[in-house]
Every structure is written in structure tokens, then in C-alpha cells.
Amino acid sequence: MFTLKPLSRMAIPSALAKAERYRLLNEPGEAESICRDVLAIDPGNQEAAVTLVLSLTDQFPGESAVKAGAAAREALSLVTDEYARLYYGGIVHERRAKAELALGRPGSNAAVQDGLRAAMSCFERAEALRPEGNDDAILRWNACARLAGDLPSSEPDIPGVSAVQNE
């Protein structure tokens, strides 16, 4: 096997900018690799930890969704700020639910509902800790509520979401 070459500490800002570019180019595996390289030399780097979580969730629609989900949950443990950990934990659940919905398998609405419920719970807990003027968790909660409201009604509703009006 190959021995990975370490980055220099001075290269971290440029590497993280490249990781973000790769995410935007829909190349999450490249972004993941860069984040792992950064974290190998700077294990506490919060930008790399968050970008790693997001790059792993970008991989959910693919074949490796189960593996990426487990890796994303593991990467969340690297995020030290409680608000950010809850917020990005909600993103993990939300994106997993959306990936499940995109598969369109019969009977998958229960899994989608469960994922949205878990995401909304994380967003509510993050909302309580949010910095002043930061309503990101509210925006995500509302997006989940709207999606849940659009799901076929033949499956159970998420408590508190059935009254959401779609605009």
C-alpha cells in the first residue's frame, strides 16, 4: 500500500479552498480526501471537520450512502462547537432522508419521515443555542417541514408538521 504524503501547515488555507471548490464541482470524494489530509496534520481544524461532514453527505445519493452516512456521523464528533455539531447533525439526517426519497423505493416514506424528524429535532436543539442573528437552523427546520408536508399522506405524519402550509 502507499504511504500518504503529509501537507505542510502553510498549505492548509489553500487546501481548504480547493476542498470547497471540489464540493461545488460535485466531486465530494476529492473534497473528502483533502479534508482528511488537513485533519491529519491539524486534527482540531473546524473548517476541515465541517467540510468533511458536508462532503460525505454530498455522497449520499450514490452507491456508498451507508458507508458515507457512518463516516459523516463519525466526522461530526470532530466538530467541537455544540451548536455546529447539532446543526450539521441535522444536515446529515436531512440529506440522508432526501437521498432515501430520491431512490423512490416503495414504502420508503417511513424512513424519510424518520430522517426528517431526526433532522428537525437537531435543528430545534441548535436553534436554542444559535448565535444572535443566525437563523440557519430555523431555515433548515422549515425546509424539512415543507418537504414532510409534501410527502404522500398515506404514511404517518410528523407530529407538528401536518399543519404546515406550503407556499
Side-chain angles (χ1 to χ4, degrees):
M1 202 64 185
F2 296 102
T3 302
L4 297 176
K5 297 179 180 186
L7 297 179
S8 67
R9 286 193 173 272
M10 289 177 37
I12 290 175
S14 174
L16 290 173
K18 282 179 180 54
E20 186 60 27
R21 262 194 305 277
Y22 279 122
R23 284 195 63 237
L24 295 173
L25 291 171
N26 199 25
E27 295 188 27
E30 299 295 329
E32 175 191 354
S33 179
I34 291 169
C35 290
R36 291 189 186 283
D37 287 340
V38 169
L39 290 166
I41 60 166
D42 185 4
N45 189 299
Q46 293 302 284
E47 184 180 353
V50 167
T51 303
L52 176 61
V53 169
L54 294 174
S55 67
L56 289 163
T57 64
D58 290 340
Q59 298 175 50
F60 282 176
E63 298 275 331
S64 61
V66 172
K67 180 181 172 189
R73 286 186 298 278
E74 182 180 325
L76 269 175
S77 70
L78 302 174
V79 178
T80 57
D81 178 71
E82 188 175 1
Y83 165 80
R85 192 172 44 257
L86 287 168
Y87 177 78
Y88 289 106
I91 295 285
V92 170
H93 288 295
E94 178 185 6
R95 288 185 174 180
R96 185 67 188 107
K98 287 179 176 178
E100 183 67 34
L101 182 63
L103 291 174
R105 294 186 285 214
S108 65
N109 276 3
V112 173
Q113 291 267 356
D114 288 346
L116 292 174
R117 187 178 296 113
M120 292 168 77
S121 174
C122 287
F123 294 139
E124 282 183 338
R125 293 179 8 232
E127 179 186 350
L129 301 173
R130 75 185 188 272
E132 186 175 338
N134 181 338
D135 287 345
D136 292 351
I138 293 170
L139 295 171
R140 298 288 0 124
W141 190 96
N142 288 345
C144 289
R146 287 186 177 97
L147 178 58
D150 288 342
L151 292 174
S153 60
S154 61
E155 301 225 3
D157 288 332
I158 296 175
V161 176
S162 60
V164 171
Q165 297 290 323
N166 292 325
E167 299 162 6

